[in-house]
Amino acid sequence: MPPHSPHPPLDADEFRRQGRLVVDFIAEYYDRIDDYPVRPAVSPGFLARQLPETAPSQPEHDALAAALRDVRDLILPGLTHWQSPHHFAHFAATASNVGALGEALAAGLNINPFTWAASPAATELEVVVTDWLGKALHVPENLLFSGGGGGGTLLGTSCEAMLCTIVAARDRKLAEIGEERIGDLVVYCSDQTHFSFQKAARIAGIRKGNCRAVATSWETGFTLSPKALLAAVHADVAAGRVPLFLCATVGTTPTAAVDPVRELCAALSGAGHDDVWVHVDAAYAGAACVCPEFRNVIEGVEAADSFSTNPHKWLLANMDCCALWVTRPHALTEALGTDHDVILKDGAADGEAVVVDYKDWQVALSRRFRALKLWLVLRCHGVDGLRAFVRSHVRMAKAFEDMVRDDARFEVPVPRQFALLLRLREKKQRCHDDDAGRVINELNRKLLEAVNATGRAYMSCAVVGGVYVLRCAIGNSLTEERHVQEAWRVVQEQATVILAVVKRTGGDRTVCNAHCLEIDGKASASFLAGK
């Protein structure tokens, strides 16, 4: 025990007392979360200026209670409140009582289940719970432990899943063609694929110039075209390069587009490239497969080599939790395995049935007991409860879409896939189309700034096919229909103000101006402040 501490670091009675403080603090936060603007109005360095330059030498009296007061007074006002029911900017990081308490339980047990022997129950629970989740999502049997060949694991993020599978594909291919040819390996995705894929590829040693982001278009709904993919693959083969890996996406970040997994796999196989590793990144929309009516978004995944989704996005598992399934776990373990340290070996497992050592399925050695949290979520909500949760958000997104379509000033530029895109509609103007396109993009950018400045809703943007759109992703645990309706009122109010300013300052002149909105300072300040 530290010389100046009244309690040992782990003390059951003190833990009960302090635990109640933290639980009450969190509960009060959720009670009051509507009182906070979704996004804080702070500038860089705001917090450092309010905290001491060095850590205290000795703890103050009742240090945790004092620290919680600082969390309330200093930290919370500077947070973007991801659990706010008014947060629509990003794919959600859903929270639940049991998700949070599962995190607390895992932290309290504080184990490090890097091998089966290091904590047998933790490893075996992960085997069980990844199969449970896979069956709930209608993942094909060839990706599950119970299917006899595949298996799943729980990581932190989709980027980790991408990195691990790229490394497995890389080592398998280099064993065939020689390690000196690593510079010839090429990976493929679409121009809508999340940037984390290119980051993972670079970490895995793929040259930056060998990451092919295949162009998508309005005509294909911004999905990856098998024909365009094959054209890129054939060009690389003709140049002496080696196609290695394809990342198909189910629920892209800009538009929630769903790449045609079955057709992409068939195209590669039919062209003699069935050795290309196909990974399906369903970080967001994979959760929707818990509902049978949405199972079609992963049709063909049985032909892929790996599949991942994030239960922390839409299945109440709290940050962080990414489920990865592979058809051939040995490809991961051969690339990522570490069997050289005698400390990690344990005779208790010798001679027994084959065990899973999850350290060999990931980059790091140490790992968190994520399975406990996910197991609690599945037990306490049930598959039917998760289906109802997802369906409620899909209904709200459809209701939002209907409201947008009922306002002639707006359009839904691409078909809704769970999340929604909207923008002020482009009208025919007496100037060049390029000028009109730039101006309407600028109007929508100003609209997003104005909406977010109100603090009553937080949305984000995307640029697809040269068009600036507002993104509204409905999926937070606390979001109800009234919050969606309020968000739409905010959008309408701010659009009314902006369009009135444009009209007052001369519509045709403004639309044709290369610098877009010629708005006087007073009016600009007003609409950006949401007044």
Side-chain angles (χ1 to χ4, degrees):
M1 180 170 60
H4 300 285
S5 175
H7 301 284
L10 279 175
D11 177 87
D13 289 337
E14 186 66 0
F15 187 83
R16 289 188 184 93
R17 186 188 72 82
Q18 292 182 324
R20 291 189 187 100
L21 290 178
V22 173
V23 169
D24 286 346
F25 183 93
I26 296 170
E28 182 181 351
Y29 168 67
Y30 282 124
D31 278 342
R32 297 181 52 219
I33 197 167
D34 259 351
D35 297 341
Y36 294 100
V38 188
R39 198 171 59 163
V42 296
S43 56
F46 80 98
L47 184 59
R49 291 190 290 269
Q50 300 181 76
L51 295 176
E53 292 184 0
T54 59
S57 298
Q58 300 295 332
E60 59 199 293
H61 175 68
D62 205 359
L64 179 61
L68 288 175
R69 287 193 294 272
D70 282 347
V71 173
R72 180 195 64 205
D73 298 337
L74 304 180
I75 306 295
L76 291 186
L79 292 181
T80 295
H81 298 279
W82 278 69
Q83 300 312 312
S84 169
H86 307 285
H87 189 305
F88 306 104
H90 308 291
F91 293 145
T94 53
S96 64
N97 291 350
V98 292
L101 294 173
E103 280 284 311
L105 185 55
L109 297 177
N110 201 35
I111 63 170
N112 187 0
F114 48 78
T115 63
W116 178 89
S119 204
T123 295
E124 296 196 12
L125 185 62
E126 188 161 338
V127 169
V128 169
V129 83
T130 52
D131 262 17
W132 275 16
L133 179 63
K135 292 173 183 177
L137 298 179
H138 306 91
V139 170
E141 285 195 359
N142 66 328
L143 286 159
L144 306 179
F145 285 108
S146 57
T153 185
L154 299 176
L155 305 172
T157 67
S158 292
C159 189
E160 291 178 62
M162 293 171 182
L163 175 58
C164 291
T165 51
I166 294 172
V167 168
R170 179 200 69 190
D171 283 13
R172 185 181 68 177
K173 178 58 69 175
L174 292 180
E176 174 188 333
I177 65 176
E179 293 187 358
E180 69 280 358
R181 294 199 64 190
I182 188 171
D184 294 329
L185 300 179
V186 185
V187 299
Y188 303 86
C189 62
S190 85
D191 59 3
Q192 303 297 301
T193 302
H194 195 272
F195 65 82
S196 58
F197 174 67
Q198 296 193 36
K199 179 177 181 178
R202 291 200 301 272
I203 295 171
I206 306 301
R207 288 180 174 174
K208 186 178 293 188
N210 282 3
C211 186
R212 304 281 178 264
V214 180
T216 60
S217 66
W218 290 96
E219 290 71 26
T220 64
F222 298 102
T223 63
L224 179 56
S225 158
K227 182 179 179 180
L229 170 65
L230 283 185
V233 168
H234 291 158
D236 282 319
V237 171
R241 291 182 285 268
V242 181
L244 175 69
F245 192 100
L246 166 65
C247 181
T249 305
V250 173
T252 60
T253 300
T255 67
V258 175
D259 289 336
V261 176
R262 186 189 303 281
E263 291 79 3
L264 291 168
C265 291
L268 288 170
S269 179
H273 299 295
D274 50 5
D275 58 341
V276 172
W277 185 299
V278 178
H279 175 70
V280 178
D281 171 30
Y284 163 59
C289 294
V290 74
C291 303
E293 64 267 30
F294 301 131
R295 168 63 177 80
N296 62 294
V297 300
I298 60 168
E299 283 183 352
V301 74
E302 64 276 2
D305 297 274
S306 52
F307 173 80
S308 64
T309 191
N310 291 356
H312 68 237
K313 275 189 164 62
W314 210 1
L315 291 178
L316 301 174
N318 286 51
M319 289 285 291
D320 56 12
C321 187
C322 171
L324 166 68
W325 293 272
V326 292
T327 57
R328 289 165 287 184
H330 64 85
L332 282 182
T333 59
E334 287 177 6
L336 301 169
T338 54
D339 285 330
H340 307 296
D341 193 329
V342 69
I343 296 175
L344 300 183
K345 297 181 181 295
D346 193 299
D350 292 345
E352 302 291 334
V354 175
V355 298
V356 175
D357 287 339
Y358 273 123
K359 68 178 177 61
D360 300 333
W361 293 52
Q362 62 179 37
V363 173
L365 172 61
S366 298
R367 63 197 323 270
R368 301 178 60 229
F369 191 7
R370 296 184 180 92
L372 185 59
K373 166 182 62 181
L374 185 55
W375 181 67
L376 288 175
V377 168
L378 290 169
R379 283 197 62 172
C380 296
H381 287 275
V383 175
D384 286 347
L386 296 178
R387 285 174 181 158
F389 182 69
V390 169
R391 285 168 177 157
S392 71
H393 289 132
V394 174
R395 283 196 302 271
M396 283 187 268
K398 176 62 169 63
F400 194 107
E401 178 186 21
D402 291 343
M403 289 187 287
V404 173
R405 292 188 185 278
D406 285 343
D407 189 326
R409 300 175 299 174
F410 289 87
E411 63 180 341
V412 178
V414 297
R416 178 183 54 82
Q417 292 272 18
F418 311 114
L420 180 73
L421 302 182
L422 66 143
R423 72 191 303 258
L424 284 167
R425 187 183 298 275
E426 185 171 351
K427 296 182 179 180
K428 293 186 180 297
Q429 304 291 346
R430 289 179 294 173
C431 58
H432 296 298
D433 289 344
D434 287 346
D435 286 339
R438 282 194 295 269
V439 168
I440 199 68
N441 279 351
E442 180 67 6
L443 280 172
N444 280 284
R445 187 185 69 80
K446 291 291 188 182
L447 174 60
L448 179 64
E449 288 181 0
V451 167
N452 289 345
T454 68
R456 294 158 54 202
Y458 179 33
M459 298 182 185
S460 60
C461 68
V463 178
V464 289
V467 172
Y468 187 102
V469 295
L470 278 66
R471 292 177 69 250
C472 179
I474 297 169
N476 273 6
S477 302
L478 295 174
T479 299
E480 301 173 0
E481 289 184 12
R482 60 190 177 92
H483 301 113
V484 175
Q485 293 166 355
E486 167 69 5
W488 176 234
R489 282 196 295 272
V490 171
V491 173
Q492 287 184 304
E493 290 167 4
Q494 300 309 310
T496 297
V497 173
I498 290 173
L499 293 175
V501 171
V502 171
K503 183 177 181 180
R504 189 172 68 248
T505 55
D508 288 345
R509 177 170 56 85
T510 302
V511 168
C512 295
N513 190 290
H515 296 289
C516 304
L517 292 169
E518 292 182 348
I519 301 174
D520 63 270
K522 181 178 180 181
S524 179
S526 294
F527 79 72
L528 286 178
K531 298 178 182 177

